[in-house]
Amino acid sequence: MKDFLDGMKLPNANEQEELEQLSIDKLRPLFDPARFQIREETYRDKGVDFDIELKYNGKHTNFRFLIQLKATDTIKSNSDGSYSKSIDTANIQYLLNSGKPSYYILYHKKSDEFYYSNLGDFLRTIKDKAKEWDSQRTNTLRFKREFNEKVVNSIYQSVLSYGKNFRKLNEKIALSTKDNFGKISITDENLNFYSENELRDKLEQFGLGLVNEGNSKLIISASNSISKSLYSKHPKFNLVLAIANYNTGNMLEALSNLKTSRKHLEKLDKEDLGLHQYFTAAVKYSLGLLNNNEYSDLMDSIEESSFIQYYVEIDKLGRKHSDSTENYSLPLYKKELDKILNKENIPNTIINLGNTEYYKYWSLDINIRNLQNSMLLSKKVSSPQVIEAGHKILKQIKAIEAFHEKTKKKIVNDKDYFNYWLLETHRINYHFESFLIDAIIYDRKKSNIEGVKFLLSELRKIRNKYEQIGHIENQVVCMTYEFEMLDFLKMENELNKLEKEISGILELYELRDFKRRFDLIVKGSTKSKRLTEFYEESKRNYDNTIKEVKKYMDKVAGLDKKDLKRQNLIPKETYSIELFPIGLFSFSKDKRQDFYNIMEITDLELINQLENMFKFVIPRLNIFKPKIVEEGFLNGVLEYEGINSWKLVYERRKKLFKEEFIKTEFN
């Protein structure tokens, strides 16, 4: 019996399409859905069958790789068991320009086996065999490795490692672009068209700034108006063009520009040489021309070159200031920082970073001093020094606000967006700590809730910016601050969700030091708790040590009384110096070195300063400081660090008495 469908004109079945669908159906089960998110390309296929994202502990990583699937039931194996297939060169270039790890997979129907080739290995092979491979219509690829579950696991680890390394590289690039900002067009202010030479020079001058502003396409478009012969010997122009091509995914073009630039590296300055290293690593790693070991070696060499050294110097200075074992005051930090920032031809982005870091440490210093002074006031210690310290703190608060506005204005004018977000992150943390201190001292937690909520919303905006540029470490810093704010606000559901998110990121990127610090916060060592404990401990220590301190103060007072009877020992030709907290002392001019020995002053710069001051004024020193390196009372009583401070004062007072440095009254 004839079916009515037999007479219909229907499309004929396509054996190749059926074969391709069969290969897809057989390939998909090899990728575990718990570790891979498969996105099948169905719209206007240009040579990519699968765009696959890795999952890590149930979380999406946005680390991806591409697969181009080929299928055959006619190709015979080579003598070594491999299979050869011609691949369109356009398809090879299309995958290379993705900047993602890419693989060709061949399904051989007769053997019912999959074979694969890494695109990076393929590119290395054809480049060795044919220098002009990209001018050929096709290139032959040999498939000789079976694709199985073991290979899938290997790809997972390889892509995971690639994603981590590439994120690290992009994070460094975000920190290393110079500050040549400015708009360009193809005409001057009189609407006269620039010559090709003039346009080339404009792109050299402002190109990196345009890249930072997201205008890479403008650079590429403008470069098309310039004859290649006019920029082939201009390494800076080719570097700018390479970065623009990199940002727009034209990896092969970027590599070509970098090679052209490399022919004249002697014309590049130190900073641009560093950029050339960075982007050469980025492009080659993206194309699979560098393996992980080669990449790591190159990154190590980059660390020691270019103006990354400025970042290293600023970071070292910060760690030195933060190290509790260092006797390193904020003024000394600023002094050393200025030595770095005042170097010749320092890039604006480095100046902005230095000032941003200084703002961070300055704001922390203000909050700690405010908490210390508030403790003394709570104990009804209203000495002139404590009152003066309170006034100084208020002045410091106004000064840091002015400094923030000045720094922010410069950063905005420089269009230095990265340092803008960094500065605002520190500002938010400064005000959050201020709210915490206010709540601790005056028990005003409820009244500060709205303020903290506002800071939280501002912090989340900055976190989103870091997510957009892939700067994981600063993203984690923002998330950690966010965690502390949610803890303060008792928003338990959001807090638990954020904790899991942070933990996942720290594990994925193996940020061990961040993990150590975050684990402490999760276990209860929050800013609020730490500041509260510091405040309470300060009060307890004050109560516990006041009696011991009084013993030393009484001993010092006893020596003062004896000095009243020794005023006749003061020579006619004297120098005087005021020592906080024990008063004014006079001594013979020829005993200056004895004084320096007693005070253990070895800093030549301070000695020279004192020598000059003795001739005209009475200098001041704060002898609470174990190591005296600055003239002045500094922060007065706030330099006091417990019983050991008064013990030190007494030991120094005793030596002064023995060597006949006489305490006197002001005339």
mmCIF file of all heavy atoms in Angstrom, residues 249-280:
data_model
loop_
_atom_site.group_PDB
_atom_site.id
_atom_site.type_symbol
_atom_site.label_atom_id
_atom_site.label_comp_id
_atom_site.label_asym_id
_atom_site.label_seq_id
_atom_site.Cartn_x
_atom_site.Cartn_y
_atom_site.Cartn_z
ATOM 1 N N GLY A 249 40.256 41.856 19.744
ATOM 2 C CA GLY A 249 40.262 40.440 19.407
ATOM 3 C C GLY A 249 41.004 40.072 18.153
ATOM 4 O O GLY A 249 40.951 38.918 17.717
ATOM 5 N N ASN A 250 41.719 41.020 17.530
ATOM 6 C CA ASN A 250 42.475 40.720 16.312
ATOM 7 C C ASN A 250 43.882 40.248 16.694
ATOM 8 O O ASN A 250 44.864 40.979 16.553
ATOM 9 C CB ASN A 250 42.558 41.955 15.408
ATOM 10 C CG ASN A 250 41.185 42.447 14.994
ATOM 11 O OD1 ASN A 250 40.325 41.650 14.628
ATOM 12 N ND2 ASN A 250 40.972 43.750 15.069
ATOM 13 N N MET A 251 43.972 39.001 17.180
ATOM 14 C CA MET A 251 45.217 38.522 17.778
ATOM 15 C C MET A 251 46.360 38.402 16.772
ATOM 16 O O MET A 251 47.501 38.737 17.076
ATOM 17 C CB MET A 251 44.989 37.173 18.469
ATOM 18 C CG MET A 251 44.012 37.246 19.630
ATOM 19 S SD MET A 251 44.617 38.355 20.942
ATOM 20 C CE MET A 251 43.163 38.454 21.979
ATOM 21 N N LEU A 252 46.065 37.921 15.580
ATOM 22 C CA LEU A 252 47.123 37.770 14.585
ATOM 23 C C LEU A 252 47.645 39.122 14.129
ATOM 24 O O LEU A 252 48.848 39.298 13.902
ATOM 25 C CB LEU A 252 46.612 36.963 13.391
ATOM 26 C CG LEU A 252 46.357 35.477 13.679
ATOM 27 C CD1 LEU A 252 45.702 34.807 12.484
ATOM 28 C CD2 LEU A 252 47.647 34.767 14.038
ATOM 29 N N GLU A 253 46.751 40.085 13.978
ATOM 30 C CA GLU A 253 47.182 41.443 13.626
ATOM 31 C C GLU A 253 48.038 42.025 14.748
ATOM 32 O O GLU A 253 49.048 42.686 14.501
ATOM 33 C CB GLU A 253 45.961 42.331 13.362
ATOM 34 C CG GLU A 253 45.270 42.094 12.040
ATOM 35 C CD GLU A 253 46.158 42.435 10.853
ATOM 36 O OE1 GLU A 253 46.916 43.424 10.934
ATOM 37 O OE2 GLU A 253 46.123 41.693 9.857
ATOM 38 N N ALA A 254 47.610 41.793 15.997
ATOM 39 C CA ALA A 254 48.370 42.303 17.141
ATOM 40 C C ALA A 254 49.775 41.713 17.155
ATOM 41 O O ALA A 254 50.762 42.419 17.397
ATOM 42 C CB ALA A 254 47.642 41.967 18.444
ATOM 43 N N LEU A 255 49.878 40.402 16.876
ATOM 44 C CA LEU A 255 51.183 39.757 16.856
ATOM 45 C C LEU A 255 52.063 40.337 15.755
ATOM 46 O O LEU A 255 53.262 40.575 15.948
ATOM 47 C CB LEU A 255 51.020 38.251 16.658
ATOM 48 C CG LEU A 255 52.294 37.406 16.761
ATOM 49 C CD1 LEU A 255 52.937 37.565 18.130
ATOM 50 C CD2 LEU A 255 51.986 35.942 16.479
ATOM 51 N N SER A 256 51.462 40.609 14.603
ATOM 52 C CA SER A 256 52.208 41.210 13.491
ATOM 53 C C SER A 256 52.725 42.596 13.865
ATOM 54 O O SER A 256 53.884 42.941 13.589
ATOM 55 C CB SER A 256 51.310 41.293 12.252
ATOM 56 O OG SER A 256 51.978 41.952 11.191
ATOM 57 N N ASN A 257 51.875 43.412 14.515
ATOM 58 C CA ASN A 257 52.294 44.752 14.949
ATOM 59 C C ASN A 257 53.436 44.679 15.950
ATOM 60 O O ASN A 257 54.384 45.475 15.894
ATOM 61 C CB ASN A 257 51.116 45.502 15.587
ATOM 62 C CG ASN A 257 49.988 45.778 14.628
ATOM 63 O OD1 ASN A 257 48.813 45.630 14.980
ATOM 64 N ND2 ASN A 257 50.304 46.185 13.402
ATOM 65 N N LEU A 258 53.358 43.724 16.879
ATOM 66 C CA LEU A 258 54.412 43.574 17.885
ATOM 67 C C LEU A 258 55.736 43.159 17.254
ATOM 68 O O LEU A 258 56.807 43.617 17.661
ATOM 69 C CB LEU A 258 53.984 42.558 18.945
ATOM 70 C CG LEU A 258 52.872 43.020 19.893
ATOM 71 C CD1 LEU A 258 52.282 41.838 20.649
ATOM 72 C CD2 LEU A 258 53.379 44.069 20.857
ATOM 73 N N LYS A 259 55.660 42.297 16.250
ATOM 74 C CA LYS A 259 56.879 41.887 15.551
ATOM 75 C C LYS A 259 57.509 43.066 14.821
ATOM 76 O O LYS A 259 58.735 43.241 14.821
ATOM 77 C CB LYS A 259 56.556 40.759 14.569
ATOM 78 C CG LYS A 259 56.316 39.411 15.239
ATOM 79 C CD LYS A 259 56.078 38.323 14.211
ATOM 80 C CE LYS A 259 55.946 36.972 14.880
ATOM 81 N NZ LYS A 259 55.684 35.894 13.887
ATOM 82 N N THR A 260 56.669 43.895 14.187
ATOM 83 C CA THR A 260 57.180 45.077 13.493
ATOM 84 C C THR A 260 57.804 46.049 14.483
ATOM 85 O O THR A 260 58.878 46.613 14.239
ATOM 86 C CB THR A 260 56.049 45.772 12.714
ATOM 87 O OG1 THR A 260 55.462 44.841 11.801
ATOM 88 C CG2 THR A 260 56.577 46.970 11.935
ATOM 89 N N SER A 261 57.134 46.225 15.636
ATOM 90 C CA SER A 261 57.647 47.116 16.675
ATOM 91 C C SER A 261 58.977 46.613 17.213
ATOM 92 O O SER A 261 59.880 47.396 17.520
ATOM 93 C CB SER A 261 56.623 47.231 17.809
ATOM 94 O OG SER A 261 57.100 48.057 18.837
ATOM 95 N N ARG A 262 59.104 45.297 17.301
ATOM 96 C CA ARG A 262 60.305 44.690 17.886
ATOM 97 C C ARG A 262 61.566 44.993 17.084
ATOM 98 O O ARG A 262 62.676 45.000 17.627
ATOM 99 C CB ARG A 262 60.103 43.175 17.993
ATOM 100 C CG ARG A 262 61.203 42.469 18.772
ATOM 101 C CD ARG A 262 60.894 41.005 18.979
ATOM 102 N NE ARG A 262 61.917 40.381 19.796
ATOM 103 C CZ ARG A 262 61.957 40.429 21.126
ATOM 104 N NH1 ARG A 262 61.017 41.098 21.767
ATOM 105 N NH2 ARG A 262 62.918 39.854 21.806
ATOM 106 N N LYS A 263 61.416 45.270 15.788
ATOM 107 C CA LYS A 263 62.580 45.543 14.941
ATOM 108 C C LYS A 263 63.287 46.832 15.339
ATOM 109 O O LYS A 263 64.447 47.041 14.987
ATOM 110 C CB LYS A 263 62.144 45.632 13.477
ATOM 111 C CG LYS A 263 61.608 44.329 12.911
ATOM 112 C CD LYS A 263 61.098 44.523 11.496
ATOM 113 C CE LYS A 263 60.489 43.230 10.947
ATOM 114 N NZ LYS A 263 59.928 43.433 9.587
ATOM 115 N N HIS A 264 62.590 47.709 16.093
ATOM 116 C CA HIS A 264 63.180 49.004 16.446
ATOM 117 C C HIS A 264 62.964 49.300 17.933
ATOM 118 O O HIS A 264 62.617 50.420 18.319
ATOM 119 C CB HIS A 264 62.567 50.115 15.592
ATOM 120 C CG HIS A 264 62.703 49.889 14.113
ATOM 121 N ND1 HIS A 264 63.875 50.141 13.435
ATOM 122 C CD2 HIS A 264 61.813 49.405 13.203
ATOM 123 C CE1 HIS A 264 63.702 49.838 12.158
ATOM 124 N NE2 HIS A 264 62.472 49.385 11.987
ATOM 125 N N LEU A 265 63.163 48.288 18.777
ATOM 126 C CA LEU A 265 62.926 48.447 20.213
ATOM 127 C C LEU A 265 63.822 49.512 20.843
ATOM 128 O O LEU A 265 63.465 50.099 21.873
ATOM 129 C CB LEU A 265 63.145 47.117 20.938
ATOM 130 C CG LEU A 265 62.081 46.032 20.742
ATOM 131 C CD1 LEU A 265 62.428 44.806 21.562
ATOM 132 C CD2 LEU A 265 60.696 46.549 21.112
ATOM 133 N N GLU A 266 64.979 49.758 20.235
ATOM 134 C CA GLU A 266 65.900 50.751 20.807
ATOM 135 C C GLU A 266 65.296 52.146 20.826
ATOM 136 O O GLU A 266 65.747 53.028 21.554
ATOM 137 C CB GLU A 266 67.225 50.753 20.035
ATOM 138 C CG GLU A 266 67.178 51.377 18.653
ATOM 139 C CD GLU A 266 66.611 50.445 17.580
ATOM 140 O OE1 GLU A 266 66.311 49.266 17.920
ATOM 141 O OE2 GLU A 266 66.471 50.874 16.420
ATOM 142 N N LYS A 267 64.227 52.367 20.068
ATOM 143 C CA LYS A 267 63.581 53.679 20.027
ATOM 144 C C LYS A 267 62.516 53.836 21.106
ATOM 145 O O LYS A 267 61.999 54.938 21.304
ATOM 146 C CB LYS A 267 62.937 53.909 18.656
ATOM 147 C CG LYS A 267 63.932 53.972 17.498
ATOM 148 C CD LYS A 267 63.201 54.232 16.174
ATOM 149 C CE LYS A 267 64.176 54.288 15.010
ATOM 150 N NZ LYS A 267 63.475 54.537 13.723
ATOM 151 N N LEU A 268 62.180 52.757 21.784
ATOM 152 C CA LEU A 268 61.148 52.818 22.826
ATOM 153 C C LEU A 268 61.769 53.185 24.165
ATOM 154 O O LEU A 268 62.885 52.764 24.479
ATOM 155 C CB LEU A 268 60.437 51.473 22.964
ATOM 156 C CG LEU A 268 59.558 51.023 21.794
ATOM 157 C CD1 LEU A 268 58.964 49.655 22.097
ATOM 158 C CD2 LEU A 268 58.449 52.028 21.508
ATOM 159 N N ASP A 269 61.031 53.967 24.982
ATOM 160 C CA ASP A 269 61.525 54.260 26.324
ATOM 161 C C ASP A 269 61.228 53.077 27.244
ATOM 162 O O ASP A 269 60.598 52.094 26.845
ATOM 163 C CB ASP A 269 60.928 55.562 26.881
ATOM 164 C CG ASP A 269 59.411 55.503 27.020
ATOM 165 O OD1 ASP A 269 58.851 54.403 27.176
ATOM 166 O OD2 ASP A 269 58.772 56.575 26.958
ATOM 167 N N LYS A 270 61.707 53.155 28.479
ATOM 168 C CA LYS A 270 61.644 52.019 29.396
ATOM 169 C C LYS A 270 60.204 51.568 29.659
ATOM 170 O O LYS A 270 59.907 50.375 29.684
ATOM 171 C CB LYS A 270 62.323 52.393 30.711
ATOM 172 C CG LYS A 270 62.500 51.219 31.667
ATOM 173 C CD LYS A 270 63.286 51.638 32.894
ATOM 174 C CE LYS A 270 63.502 50.463 33.825
ATOM 175 N NZ LYS A 270 64.255 50.838 35.030
ATOM 176 N N GLU A 271 59.295 52.543 29.835
ATOM 177 C CA GLU A 271 57.915 52.204 30.137
ATOM 178 C C GLU A 271 57.268 51.467 28.970
ATOM 179 O O GLU A 271 56.557 50.481 29.144
ATOM 180 C CB GLU A 271 57.109 53.460 30.482
ATOM 181 C CG GLU A 271 57.415 54.038 31.849
ATOM 182 C CD GLU A 271 58.753 54.754 31.869
ATOM 183 O OE1 GLU A 271 59.222 55.164 30.789
ATOM 184 O OE2 GLU A 271 59.337 54.904 32.963
ATOM 185 N N ASP A 272 57.522 51.954 27.741
ATOM 186 C CA ASP A 272 56.923 51.324 26.569
ATOM 187 C C ASP A 272 57.531 49.951 26.298
ATOM 188 O O ASP A 272 56.857 49.057 25.784
ATOM 189 C CB ASP A 272 57.074 52.225 25.345
ATOM 190 C CG ASP A 272 56.204 53.471 25.451
ATOM 191 O OD1 ASP A 272 55.180 53.403 26.150
ATOM 192 O OD2 ASP A 272 56.552 54.507 24.857
ATOM 193 N N LEU A 273 58.802 49.769 26.659
ATOM 194 C CA LEU A 273 59.411 48.440 26.548
ATOM 195 C C LEU A 273 58.679 47.439 27.448
ATOM 196 O O LEU A 273 58.470 46.279 27.080
ATOM 197 C CB LEU A 273 60.893 48.496 26.931
ATOM 198 C CG LEU A 273 61.862 49.044 25.870
ATOM 199 C CD1 LEU A 273 63.245 49.237 26.477
ATOM 200 C CD2 LEU A 273 61.937 48.099 24.676
ATOM 201 N N GLY A 274 58.312 47.906 28.646
ATOM 202 C CA GLY A 274 57.552 47.049 29.557
ATOM 203 C C GLY A 274 56.210 46.671 28.964
ATOM 204 O O GLY A 274 55.770 45.520 29.043
ATOM 205 N N LEU A 275 55.535 47.653 28.336
ATOM 206 C CA LEU A 275 54.249 47.361 27.703
ATOM 207 C C LEU A 275 54.417 46.368 26.559
ATOM 208 O O LEU A 275 53.570 45.499 26.346
ATOM 209 C CB LEU A 275 53.618 48.661 27.179
ATOM 210 C CG LEU A 275 53.050 49.611 28.234
ATOM 211 C CD1 LEU A 275 52.489 50.853 27.565
ATOM 212 C CD2 LEU A 275 51.965 48.929 29.044
ATOM 213 N N HIS A 276 55.494 46.515 25.815
ATOM 214 C CA HIS A 276 55.753 45.585 24.716
ATOM 215 C C HIS A 276 55.900 44.158 25.261
ATOM 216 O O HIS A 276 55.367 43.198 24.684
ATOM 217 C CB HIS A 276 57.022 46.007 23.957
ATOM 218 C CG HIS A 276 57.227 45.280 22.666
ATOM 219 N ND1 HIS A 276 57.749 44.010 22.606
ATOM 220 C CD2 HIS A 276 56.961 45.647 21.382
ATOM 221 C CE1 HIS A 276 57.802 43.613 21.340
ATOM 222 N NE2 HIS A 276 57.327 44.590 20.581
ATOM 223 N N GLN A 277 56.580 44.011 26.397
ATOM 224 C CA GLN A 277 56.714 42.694 27.017
ATOM 225 C C GLN A 277 55.359 42.141 27.452
ATOM 226 O O GLN A 277 55.030 40.979 27.216
ATOM 227 C CB GLN A 277 57.642 42.778 28.228
ATOM 228 C CG GLN A 277 59.119 42.916 27.893
ATOM 229 C CD GLN A 277 59.947 42.984 29.163
ATOM 230 O OE1 GLN A 277 59.944 43.991 29.856
ATOM 231 N NE2 GLN A 277 60.649 41.910 29.465
ATOM 232 N N TYR A 278 54.569 42.995 28.102
ATOM 233 C CA TYR A 278 53.267 42.557 28.588
ATOM 234 C C TYR A 278 52.394 42.035 27.455
ATOM 235 O O TYR A 278 51.820 40.943 27.520
ATOM 236 C CB TYR A 278 52.537 43.705 29.281
ATOM 237 C CG TYR A 278 52.931 43.894 30.723
ATOM 238 C CD1 TYR A 278 53.550 45.055 31.140
ATOM 239 C CD2 TYR A 278 52.660 42.925 31.671
ATOM 240 C CE1 TYR A 278 53.918 45.245 32.464
ATOM 241 C CE2 TYR A 278 53.012 43.096 33.000
ATOM 242 C CZ TYR A 278 53.644 44.259 33.382
ATOM 243 O OH TYR A 278 54.001 44.435 34.687
ATOM 244 N N PHE A 279 52.253 42.841 26.418
ATOM 245 C CA PHE A 279 51.318 42.477 25.359
ATOM 246 C C PHE A 279 51.855 41.372 24.458
ATOM 247 O O PHE A 279 51.074 40.627 23.866
ATOM 248 C CB PHE A 279 50.912 43.723 24.567
ATOM 249 C CG PHE A 279 49.900 44.546 25.302
ATOM 250 C CD1 PHE A 279 50.295 45.638 26.055
ATOM 251 C CD2 PHE A 279 48.570 44.196 25.294
ATOM 252 C CE1 PHE A 279 49.371 46.379 26.758
ATOM 253 C CE2 PHE A 279 47.638 44.934 26.000
ATOM 254 C CZ PHE A 279 48.030 46.027 26.738
ATOM 255 N N THR A 280 53.162 41.252 24.349
ATOM 256 C CA THR A 280 53.712 40.099 23.639
ATOM 257 C C THR A 280 53.330 38.818 24.380
ATOM 258 O O THR A 280 52.920 37.821 23.771
ATOM 259 C CB THR A 280 55.248 40.210 23.520
ATOM 260 O OG1 THR A 280 55.577 41.379 22.746
ATOM 261 C CG2 THR A 280 55.827 38.989 22.830
#
